[in-house]
């Protein structure tokens, strides 16, 4: 019995040692193609999620248990649509953005629920389905070298645009934490 416990203990210790040195499962982000809002004066990598302008590409990387996933995400072509349809917009306007996701390493499931609109006062608006702004971003499994693109729509008050940001969640174990933001205006 003692030898079995010893073997199990060694196996657990080996797995923990591998896991501890093989990535945290937290998403790292960087902005390409220009300046970003949160670069420290010393020029070091920013702590926390980066903030990009519309049209800029954010690279998200996650390593866990020696498995790395890297995606490049671009939000562009923002539109403000106020014409009502049978669904809304209930809050005043539809804010429509085209999302392009390129998987450069590993695998990633593109998913519209990874995006939220965050107003300057902290109010969060989830994406909405309208049926008006095709093609929409859909749940799509991507392998390295593959890409997908589509629109996401937020139903927000017009005043929320000033100082508002679109948040993308992490691509690893931190899937419920912000990984990057894009400014709306």
């Amino acid at each position: 019995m003692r030898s079995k416990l010893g073997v199990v203990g060694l196996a657990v210790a080996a797995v923990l040692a591998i896991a501890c040195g093989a990535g945290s499962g937290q998403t790292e982000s960087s902005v390409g193609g220009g300046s970003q809002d949160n670069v420290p004066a010393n020029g070091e990598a920013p702590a926390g999620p980066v903030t990009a302008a519309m049209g800029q590409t954010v690279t998200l990387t996650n390593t866990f248990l020696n498995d790395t996933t890297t995606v490049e995400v671009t939000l562009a072509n923002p539109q403000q649509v106020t014409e009502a349809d049978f669904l809304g917009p209930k809050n005043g306007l539809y804010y429509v953005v085209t999302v392009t996701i390129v998987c450069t390493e590993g695998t990633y499931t593109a998913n519209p629920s990874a995006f939220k609109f965050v107003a300057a006062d902290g109010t969060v608006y989830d994406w909405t389905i309208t049926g008006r702004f095709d093609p929409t971003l859909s749940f799509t499994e991507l392998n390295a070298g593959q890409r997908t693109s589509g629109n996401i729509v937020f139903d927000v008050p017009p005043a929320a645009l000033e100082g508002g940001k679109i948040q993308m969640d992490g691509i690893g174990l931190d899937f419920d934490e912000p990984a990057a933001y894009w400014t709306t205006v």
Side-chain angles (χ1 to χ4, degrees):
M1 179 70 168
R2 246 184 162 167
S3 66
K4 287 182 183 179
L5 286 176
V7 170
V8 170
L10 286 174
V12 169
V15 168
L16 287 174
I18 292 169
C20 290
S24 66
Q26 300 296 304
T27 302
E28 296 177 14
S29 57
S30 63
V31 177
S35 64
Q36 59 196 47
D37 289 350
N38 58 344
V39 175
N42 63 11
E44 292 179 14
V50 297
T51 299
M54 276 294 156
Q56 285 187 306
T57 299
V58 172
T59 301
L60 301 174
T61 302
N62 181 279
T63 301
F64 184 68
L65 295 177
N66 293 325
D67 185 24
T68 299
T69 297
T70 303
V71 295
E72 296 174 348
V73 183
T74 307
L75 274 60
N77 306 318
Q79 302 172 50
Q80 300 175 32
V81 180
T82 56
E83 298 90 37
D85 58 14
F86 67 97
L87 294 176
K90 292 177 179 49
N91 292 313
L93 69 85
Y94 288 129
Y95 191 72
V96 184
V97 179
T98 302
V99 178
T100 302
I101 302 172
V102 179
C103 182
T104 60
E105 184 176 1
T107 61
Y108 176 69
T109 302
N111 149 19
S113 64
F115 296 89
K116 298 170 181 64
F117 187 100
V118 182
D121 69 359
T123 304
V124 175
Y125 300 89
D126 288 322
W127 65 285
T128 189
I129 298 172
T130 66
R132 288 180 57 185
F133 304 102
D134 289 334
T136 59
L137 183 66
S138 59
F139 291 84
T140 306
E141 183 73 24
L142 299 174
N143 294 307
Q146 296 179 332
R147 71 175 48 234
T148 191
S149 175
N151 294 318
I152 53 173
V153 181
F154 302 96
D155 184 349
V156 299
L161 293 180
E162 187 66 39
K165 296 180 180 183
I166 296 177
Q167 170 187 313
M168 181 178 178
D169 292 335
I171 62 172
L173 295 178
D174 58 347
F175 63 89
D176 57 347
E177 297 292 327
Y181 294 97
W182 285 262
T183 56
T184 58
V185 244

